[in-house]
Amino acid sequence: MAPKSELKCVEDLKRERAKCTFNTEELTNIMDGGKEKTAIRREIQRVLINDPEFSDIVPQDYLSHEDRYGNELRKSVHLMKTLDRLGAQDKNLDTRIVGGVLKDGNPLGLHKSMFLPAIRGQGNAQQQEEWLGRAERAEIIGTYAQTELGHGTFVRGLETTATYDPATQEFVLHSPTITATKWWPGALGKTCNYAVVMAQLYTQGRCHGPHPFVVQLRDENTHRSLPGITVGEIGPRLGLNTNDNGFLRFDHYRIPRNNLLMKHSQVLEDGTYVKPIHSKLSYGTMILVRVGIVYDCSRKLEQAVTIATRYSAVRHQSEMAPGEPEPQILDYQTQQYKLIPQIASVLALYFSAKSAAQIYTSVTASMEKGNVQLLPELHSLSSGLKAVSSDDATSGIEICRLACGGHGYLASSNLPRLYTGTTCAITYEGENTVLLLQVARYLIKTHRAAGRRAPPSSVSHLAGELASSPSLSNKALVEAFRVSASALVVETEARLQKLCDMGREYHHAWNDCSVQLVKCAQAHTRHYICEKFEANVESLDCSEGVRNVLRSLCRLYLIYHITLTQGNFLRCGALTARHIAVLEAELCELLATLRTQAVSIVDAFDIPDALLGSTLGCWDGNVYERLYNAALKSPLNKTDVPKAYYKYLRPLIKSSL
């Protein structure tokens, strides 16, 4: 990888970078978590980029489904070995480090992100000793099989059964219906030979709900599926087509009693069920994965907005004033409005994910000591952040694609792949609407209890006064988010109670309020993101140049989301119509100010061209050469006249219709 100083950069980008008023390296260090981590990331990326094993002789878009899977599995295996050699085995979970090495998913991704954490979080010491070491050494490859053909987010509705047989001390796994077929797990189709399977636990004639079981699916030597197992791949998807998402059915398949992960609950030899000390202890793995999704969404949006911002500084289009040269499209306010809020969103999601990760670490430590009081709050927080971040990143990437015009539609721009690799997060690990309703349930419950006890920190606003502030500082705007989110909960809870008082059963009343309840959860989560953005910007140990840019981005983020949902602020009096008008005018001023820094900010995201993988987003701005060269790689251009001409087109032309 040639140093950036050696690359021939187009004049447009040179001029943009000359306007920079802050230290881009300092912002890079903040995003990485410190200078040391930046150095480690860059060294790992340097090794990966210069390794010919990660290059594609034929662009992946031109390969067959089977060849795409095989090619990406080859790179995934080599990546695992390379990271192990570099002493960075766990760092491949961070897409900031290796994002872009694997183009369309990682066939080994769920082994690291879900199979290993499930055993660590839910297996007892004996079980960890039996499976964890082997899995960490990749002697066995696993996935996490929860979702079924007929059931996804509603885990309690899963149909796969695991019935304990005390005579043999085994569980009998069975798929009683077609809808009980496990469906969607990545790596299940062809890659893994083990899985953590969620199934309804039956013992002594009673069902104790879904529990996790370690299940061997394939022979460790031949990789053939075992008797009683039917497993395969579900076919092409919108994206991530190298992940071999699979299906799985059981036909009275037996596993040892010890294959039930028993850190929190147990089944004794005689079939006696020992329940966990808290029913939600198994949420730990799920929470960790959801926090990881927030980070991942931030990284994906980071790549998309880097591509779109650089391209917008290079692309010239139309006339702003008659007779003048075509301006950079980044000079158009409408283009700034599309892109600069997405830059701010990258930082907002990053800081909220960082905060949630710190809370997760703290809560996990407390849980180890038997304190589970903060678990419901963390579950609610991770659910809301997962939903809002995946929604924001998906819509943000699509905005970036549209901002690049027709060229953004090309696969070589990498924007379509970023979109399809992000939109799936809206439905996996909990469908977003369902998650937001879970958050709303927690908010209503906490609001009703607020008069009796102090609410947890992330929902402390539910006990606060609903007074507006005349100030329009960043802190005051965060307070306006608090007031509007709290007022929305109060209003919705009152409507819910009114329906119940009128004789409506609670669950039906809940459904009748569900649209508003989702809005409560969204407003609550947005307040949390805004609060953490503002707090992190003010508490960072950084230069004034970096802080000023971050303050402006934070302010833009706050105003942008106020204007998008201004009704929430007006109806409760958190802001007045005059406030909104002032903020809308300021938003336009912020766009103009941040426009001069936009290219430098995305430069600070520090994504190498080889990992960005975009003809439009290259550091040097040589967009059109790259677009043309990418087109030449199409297999259709290997011959001047395609075979299909002789087979189909020529006969048509000569047929004299």
Side-chain angles (χ1 to χ4, degrees):
M1 177 172 62
K4 289 174 181 175
S5 58
E6 295 178 15
L7 297 173
K8 186 180 178 182
C9 181
V10 299
E11 289 301 318
D12 282 325
L13 287 182
K14 283 183 181 178
R15 285 193 295 271
E16 292 297 326
R17 289 169 179 139
K19 301 172 188 173
C20 184
T21 61
F22 66 97
N23 187 329
T24 57
E25 182 69 10
E26 187 181 350
L27 182 52
T28 300
N29 296 158
I30 289 170
M31 296 291 288
D32 281 320
K35 285 184 183 179
E36 215 173 282
K37 290 186 178 179
T38 296
I40 292 170
R41 172 182 61 78
R42 285 175 175 163
E43 176 56 23
I44 293 172
Q45 288 178 335
R46 184 192 65 78
V47 171
L48 300 180
I49 289 168
N50 290 308
D51 189 334
E53 285 294 316
F54 293 116
S55 62
D56 294 315
I57 298 171
V58 178
Q60 193 173 46
D61 293 302
Y62 300 119
L63 297 177
S64 69
H65 186 58
E66 183 174 3
D67 287 343
R68 288 177 77 167
Y69 163 70
N71 185 50
E72 213 72 345
L73 181 60
R74 171 186 66 81
K75 290 192 286 185
S76 299
V77 169
H78 188 66
L79 177 63
M80 186 180 282
K81 291 178 178 178
T82 302
L83 291 173
D84 183 67
R85 175 171 57 81
L86 295 172
Q89 298 94 326
D90 292 329
K91 292 187 172 63
N92 66 329
L93 297 181
D94 187 350
T95 53
R96 186 167 177 77
I97 293 177
V98 301
V101 173
L102 304 175
K103 298 291 190 297
D104 198 22
N106 182 353
L108 298 175
L110 263 70
H111 175 76
K112 284 276 189 177
S113 66
M114 294 208 68
F115 184 69
L116 285 169
I119 295 174
R120 288 193 192 107
Q122 300 186 57
N124 60 29
Q126 177 192 346
Q127 292 171 322
Q128 291 188 29
E129 184 177 350
E130 180 176 354
W131 290 306
L132 198 52
R134 298 190 69 208
E136 288 173 337
R137 294 188 296 272
E139 292 173 9
I140 59 174
I141 302 295
T143 187
Y144 188 86
Q146 176 170 294
T147 300
E148 295 175 354
L149 198 51
H151 287 89
T153 307
F154 184 54
V155 180
R156 281 180 291 151
L158 295 178
E159 296 179 78
T160 302
T161 58
T163 306
Y164 184 64
D165 181 358
T168 60
Q169 294 190 24
E170 293 174 316
F171 283 100
V172 182
L173 271 71
H174 187 58
S175 306
T177 64
I178 187 67
T179 49
T181 305
K182 293 296 178 185
W183 194 269
W184 275 117
L188 178 61
K190 296 295 174 184
T191 303
C192 70
N193 52 12
Y194 278 75
V196 169
V197 175
M198 291 296 289
Q200 301 284 1
L201 190 160
Y202 284 85
T203 182
Q204 296 179 338
R206 289 188 59 197
C207 177
H208 296 279
H211 284 66
F213 299 82
V214 174
V215 183
Q216 183 177 354
L217 306 177
R218 291 182 168 95
D219 186 278
E220 290 187 25
N221 295 313
T222 67
H223 207 60
R224 290 185 178 277
S225 56
L226 298 173
I229 298 285
T230 302
V231 62
E233 201 242 6
I234 64 174
R237 283 81 61 193
L238 180 65
L240 300 180
N241 278 296
T242 60
N243 269 10
D244 67 307
N245 296 78
F247 63 82
L248 171 65
R249 289 181 61 79
F250 298 104
D251 184 4
H252 300 93
Y253 181 72
R254 290 179 172 265
I255 58 173
R257 178 182 67 90
N258 191 54
N259 285 37
L260 164 66
L261 290 175
M262 297 197 201
K263 182 174 183 178
H264 303 305
S265 56
Q266 301 173 43
V267 170
L268 305 181
E269 291 183 5
D270 65 354
T272 300
Y273 178 73
V274 181
K275 65 181 182 180
I277 58 172
H278 193 286
S279 61
K280 301 295 188 291
L281 281 173
S282 60
Y283 282 9
T285 303
M286 197 181 301
I287 290 169
L288 177 63
V289 170
R290 285 175 182 163
V291 172
I293 290 171
V294 183
Y295 272 119
D296 190 53
C297 287
S298 172
R299 304 308 188 205
K300 292 279 182 29
L301 182 57
E302 182 181 71
Q303 294 175 65
V305 79
T306 296
I307 293 167
T309 301
R310 286 177 178 166
Y311 175 69
S312 296
V314 172
R315 180 74 172 186
H316 291 250
Q317 189 77 31
S318 303
E319 292 179 337
M320 194 175 292
E324 290 187 1
E326 293 180 282
Q328 297 160 281
I329 59 174
L330 193 54
D331 286 339
Y332 290 102
Q333 189 182 77
T334 50
Q335 191 77 349
Q336 296 163 15
Y337 184 74
K338 289 174 184 176
L339 298 182
I340 299 175
Q342 306 313 321
I343 296 175
S345 190
V346 169
L347 277 300
L349 295 180
Y350 168 75
F351 285 128
S352 60
K354 179 182 173 184
S355 174
Q358 291 168 344
I359 295 173
Y360 173 81
T361 302
S362 173
V363 171
T364 302
S366 297
M367 284 168 55
E368 293 296 329
K369 299 174 184 176
N371 181 5
V372 295
Q373 276 189 320
L374 296 177
L375 188 57
E377 179 189 12
L378 180 58
H379 176 256
S380 169
L381 178 61
S382 65
S383 297
L385 286 175
K386 181 268 181 189
V388 171
S389 67
S390 55
D391 278 338
D392 284 0
T394 297
S395 61
I397 291 169
E398 177 66 352
I399 288 169
C400 289
R401 184 187 71 79
L402 295 171
C404 291
H407 292 331
Y409 196 67
L410 284 167
S412 69
S413 75
N414 201 32
L415 291 167
R417 185 177 290 122
L418 285 170
Y419 177 82
T420 58
T422 305
T423 189
C424 50
I426 288 175
T427 46
Y428 69 57
E429 294 312 309
E431 194 276 334
N432 280 2
T433 301
V434 176
L435 289 185
L436 290 169
L437 286 170
Q438 290 179 9
V439 175
R441 195 173 298 278
Y442 177 72
L443 293 176
I444 296 297
K445 181 179 178 182
T446 305
H447 169 66
R448 288 179 167 179
R452 300 190 301 273
R453 59 179 180 272
S457 59
S458 70
V459 285
S460 58
H461 58 277
L462 296 178
E465 294 296 319
L466 302 185
S468 61
S469 168
S471 167
L472 292 179
S473 66
N474 280 1
K475 193 170 286 294
L477 295 184
V478 171
E479 174 66 7
F481 276 95
R482 180 196 75 79
V483 171
S484 65
S486 184
L488 204 55
V489 172
V490 171
E491 181 183 314
T492 306
E493 193 278 335
R495 182 183 170 203
L496 182 65
Q497 186 60 52
K498 182 180 179 181
L499 289 172
C500 292
D501 291 344
M502 292 168 61
R504 195 88 165 124
E505 290 184 18
Y506 186 80
H507 50 271
H508 289 305
W510 180 270
N511 183 55
D512 291 343
C513 295
S514 57
V515 170
Q516 203 69 5
L517 286 162
V518 166
K519 290 180 181 179
C520 287
Q522 290 169 328
H524 161 71
T525 306
R526 186 71 66 194
H527 165 250
Y528 181 87
I529 294 171
C530 293
E531 182 182 49
K532 296 308 171 187
F533 197 174
E534 193 273 339
N536 273 274
V537 167
E538 296 306 322
S539 63
L540 278 172
D541 181 13
C542 63
S543 65
E544 278 308 296
V546 168
R547 195 184 312 279
N548 287 338
V549 167
L550 290 177
R551 274 181 182 151
S552 294
L553 286 169
C554 179
R555 186 157 187 81
L556 178 71
Y557 185 86
L558 297 172
I559 296 174
Y560 178 75
H561 284 285
I562 284 172
T563 59
L564 288 181
T565 56
Q566 54 191 272
N568 290 348
F569 299 87
L570 292 170
R571 70 197 292 176
C572 69
L575 294 170
T576 67
R578 176 61 183 158
H579 289 148
I580 300 290
V582 169
L583 291 174
E584 284 180 333
E586 187 183 351
L587 184 144
C588 297
E589 295 169 5
L590 283 167
L591 290 175
T593 300
L594 286 165
R595 179 256 174 272
T596 62
Q597 307 300 309
V599 168
S600 296
I601 297 169
V602 300
D603 280 353
F605 295 158
D606 199 34
I607 309 169
D609 285 352
L611 300 184
L612 194 60
S614 173
T615 51
L616 305 185
C618 40
W619 188 88
D620 62 12
N622 287 302
V623 170
Y624 304 112
E625 293 90 337
R626 281 182 168 82
L627 283 169
Y628 184 73
N629 290 333
L632 294 178
K633 293 177 182 177
S634 170
L636 284 175
N637 292 323
K638 287 183 177 179
T639 59
D640 186 34
V641 180
K643 293 177 183 178
Y645 167 78
Y646 298 103
K647 194 170 183 180
Y648 305 111
L649 191 56
R650 193 171 189 277
L652 173 66
I653 293 170
K654 301 298 182 182
S655 64
S656 300
L657 288 179

